[in-house]
Amino acid sequence: MGGSFDPVHFGHLIAAQDAFEQYRLDKVVFVPAAQAPLKPNEVQTGPEDRLAMLNAATAWDRRFEVSDYELRKGGISYTIDSVRHFRALHPHDQLYWIIGGDQLPRMHLWKDIAELAGLIEFIFLERPGHPAKARPEIPGLRLYRCDGHLIEISSTELRERIRKGLSLEYFIPHKAIVYIQEKRLYL
């Protein structure tokens, strides 16, 4: 499951849990992007902080792992590069990439999408305000819908709450809140 995770919140974690349970996955690996190609100004904090928040939020849960592959690699994070990496690590496993349904209309813009469609299967979850209307016309694309809980939380909204001095409780795991407060992030 890729994303900026800036900051990670319960919407991300619930989506991961829903996909884990519905598709009986062995684990979900969170892959924070160094720089998302289609959201060039999205990231507000450094890679170390986003990695630390993800680790704080998930360390106790054996169903979840965090990979620093894209952060170590640096530069623009293309899904195809990460999928090639994970495919090389797990050549015989069935791999899925979990995405928000809001990504579906832009999937045809993803780098090397035809190769990507052949290397991995996709699970998408609808996001509030972004109903998935049509499946992308990409040859060989294996795309599955996850009937998850629609939680309307955005990292952008949470960064604004921090700037306004509002509480993050019930939006972000407590250990990630403590990290944000200690590092004085997003102020």
Side-chain angles (χ1 to χ4, degrees):
M1 181 173 179
S4 296
F5 305 110
D6 192 26
V8 61
H9 54 70
F10 284 121
H12 297 130
L13 300 171
I14 290 169
Q17 177 172 274
D18 285 341
F20 178 89
E21 291 174 353
Q22 185 171 336
Y23 286 92
R24 296 182 176 94
L25 305 177
D26 295 321
K27 63 182 167 184
V28 173
V29 179
F30 291 90
V31 186
Q35 177 58 61
L38 298 178
K39 295 180 180 179
N41 301 314
E42 178 74 12
V43 176
Q44 304 283 312
T45 58
E48 301 84 15
D49 290 324
R50 291 184 293 119
L51 186 65
M53 286 184 282
L54 262 173
N55 281 323
T58 63
W60 62 274
D61 195 333
R62 292 181 184 206
R63 301 171 302 171
F64 299 153
E65 286 183 15
V66 178
S67 169
D68 66 351
Y69 171 74
E70 290 186 4
L71 298 177
R72 280 185 292 108
K73 186 175 161 290
I76 295 177
S77 298
Y78 292 107
T79 303
I80 186 67
D81 296 331
S82 298
V83 168
R84 288 175 183 145
H85 168 76
F86 288 109
R87 176 56 62 209
L89 289 177
H90 308 284
H92 305 294
D93 291 347
Q94 187 173 9
L95 300 179
Y96 298 90
W97 197 264
I98 302 168
I99 62 173
D102 59 323
Q103 295 296 312
L104 297 180
R106 301 186 317 180
M107 279 187 83
H108 68 281
L109 301 173
W110 290 20
K111 182 180 178 188
D112 298 333
I113 188 62
E115 178 186 354
L116 187 58
L119 290 174
I120 199 163
E121 299 175 61
F122 289 86
I123 297 172
F124 78 92
L125 296 100
E126 289 193 8
R127 290 187 63 181
H130 301 277
K133 296 176 183 162
R135 291 179 175 266
E137 297 292 327
I138 298 168
L141 180 66
R142 294 163 292 166
L143 180 66
Y144 310 101
R145 183 177 193 275
C146 179
D147 297 314
H149 297 85
L150 298 181
I151 308 295
E152 190 170 358
I153 303 174
S154 77
S155 295
T156 302
E157 170 196 358
L158 296 176
R159 292 190 299 264
E160 189 60 29
R161 287 183 69 82
I162 293 166
R163 286 184 197 94
K164 291 179 178 178
L166 299 173
S167 174
L168 297 175
E169 296 296 336
Y170 311 111
F171 291 104
I172 296 177
H174 185 71
K175 288 183 179 183
I177 293 172
V178 169
Y179 184 88
I180 289 168
Q181 291 170 339
E182 287 175 355
K183 296 289 185 169
R184 300 188 46 78
L185 298 178
Y186 310 111
L187 296 176

